[in-house]
Amino acid sequence: LAMFDPFDTPELRPHSRRREVMDLVGKVFSCLFLAECVVKVTALGLVCGSKTYLRAPWNCVDMLIVVVGILDFLPAKTSNLSSLRAL
């Protein structure tokens, strides 16, 4: 199930309206996660300290999601990392 690519169906051709909307929604959520990460890192600090952002395991998962989400903004020709998005 995690390896399912929702764009690998006939009705989601590369330039179809539905695919463009799904791409946009994915980028909006990536921006929201990035904004959350920036606010938390600003408030808590990144690493140095006892209660900083990367000291909590769930924040490490959030950081991984943000990093993989940022890969979505790279041009498709230079980035063939779509398998990381399944994480």
Side-chain angles (χ1 to χ4, degrees), residues 5-16:
D5 184 8
F7 297 130
D8 194 25
T9 57
E11 66 268 6
L12 292 174
R13 294 180 306 276
H15 298 291
S16 70

Side-chain angles (χ1 to χ4, degrees), residues 29-51:
F29 276 104
S30 292
C31 288
L32 290 174
F33 273 115
L34 178 63
E36 176 200 15
C37 180
V38 167
V39 168
K40 280 182 144 182
V41 167
T42 302
L44 301 173
L46 186 63
V47 179
C48 298
S50 61
K51 295 191 181 221

Side-chain angles (χ1 to χ4, degrees), residues 30 33-34 37 46 53-54 59-74 79 81 84-85 87:
S30 292
F33 273 115
L34 178 63
C37 180
L46 186 63
Y53 184 74
L54 290 179
N59 287 340
C60 292
V61 173
D62 282 345
M63 180 65 84
L64 178 67
I65 291 171
V66 168
V67 169
V68 172
I70 290 172
L71 295 176
D72 197 27
F73 290 99
L74 296 176
S79 171
L81 302 171
L84 286 176
R85 293 182 202 144
L87 294 175

